[in-house]
Amino acid sequence: MQQHESKPRLPVVDITTATPAQKEVLDDILKGPRGNLAGPFLSWIHSPELAQPAQKLGAFCRYHTQLPLRLSELAILCTAAKWQAQAEWQIHYPIAIEAGLDADNVERIRLGRPPAFEARDEQMIWEFVEELYENRRISEPLYREAQERFGIEVLVNLVGLLGYYSLVAMTLNVFHVRHGQAPLPFDEPAGSAAE
């Protein structure tokens, strides 16, 4: 992990001088299940009409997919690793470990190496995410197994979660969003840091 100085690319929105539309979104986020503005929200707030439906979708994807927390957090970390999204990993890593994921396997994912989860549902989530991001499709055997294991509704929710967290990762990467002062989990590509 590296320490890296990178300036955010967007101006900070001051809640006291935010527009009414911005204040409404920020209030909804702060009163919702997250209770904080960590992640993409202070980037999205520059477009309140995007921010409001995106944050509502995010609340569903994070809290209501019907996946156990360890599996949804695993899917989020797999997405963060694929996009090398610094803040996404920084925010979700401790949640994933607290939810019961094996730290050694999570580290293998961060490094781009295949994990070896003992629990089939965890290994299946990793295989599903890996196959979807690498092939942009899911093979019939894996699809059948996932549908049998999770059911159609949860499988649809999983795909939605992956799409949402890809949007989050892109937002965080483009606008140089970081979480705290912790060392960065991924190397920054040359020329991408703000000077």
Side-chain angles (χ1 to χ4, degrees):
M1 294 191 190
Q2 65 168 328
Q3 186 66 41
H4 184 75
E5 294 298 321
S6 180
K7 297 177 186 173
R9 287 180 160 164
L10 294 174
V12 176
V13 172
D14 183 341
I15 295 176
T16 61
T17 59
T19 68
Q22 289 173 324
K23 286 180 183 177
E24 180 182 346
V25 176
L26 295 170
D27 286 346
D28 285 352
I29 294 168
L30 291 171
K31 291 176 185 172
R34 294 177 198 92
N36 66 67
L37 299 172
F41 308 113
L42 293 177
S43 298
W44 290 343
I45 200 61
H46 291 276
S47 176
E49 289 183 356
L50 169 69
Q52 189 65 287
Q55 73 89 9
K56 287 181 180 182
L57 176 61
F60 173 82
C61 288
R62 185 158 177 198
Y63 301 106
H64 303 292
T65 61
Q66 300 175 49
L67 283 166
L69 181 62
R70 68 187 165 79
L71 297 183
S72 60
E73 290 299 321
L74 174 57
I76 294 166
L77 287 182
C78 289
T79 300
K82 285 294 181 186
W83 283 97
Q84 297 193 331
Q86 310 288 9
E88 193 166 66
W89 187 275
Q90 291 169 320
I91 292 166
H92 288 277
Y93 175 83
I95 300 168
I97 298 304
E98 188 175 319
L101 288 176
D102 174 69
D104 290 337
N105 278 319
V106 170
E107 177 65 4
R108 292 182 68 80
I109 290 168
R110 184 185 72 80
L111 296 172
R113 299 179 185 152
F117 289 107
E118 290 183 19
R120 179 60 191 147
D121 58 355
E122 293 172 2
Q123 189 68 23
M124 190 187 316
I125 291 290
W126 177 80
E127 290 172 11
F128 192 94
V129 174
E130 187 72 11
E131 200 170 291
L132 184 57
Y133 285 130
E134 292 301 314
N135 302 333
R136 291 163 295 283
R137 306 285 188 282
I138 296 296
S139 65
E140 193 60 30
L142 181 57
Y143 178 83
R144 282 197 306 267
E145 183 183 6
Q147 181 181 328
E148 185 174 309
R149 177 72 183 230
F150 300 118
I152 291 172
E153 183 178 355
V154 174
L155 197 52
V156 169
N157 291 345
L158 172 61
V159 173
L161 179 148
L162 296 173
Y164 172 76
Y165 279 96
S166 291
L167 169 63
V168 170
M170 287 187 280
T171 300
L172 299 174
N173 286 353
V174 169
F175 301 113
H176 292 176
V177 177
R178 302 292 181 261
H179 185 70
Q181 298 299 315
L184 299 180
F186 306 106
D187 290 337
E188 283 290 318
S192 70
E195 299 301 327

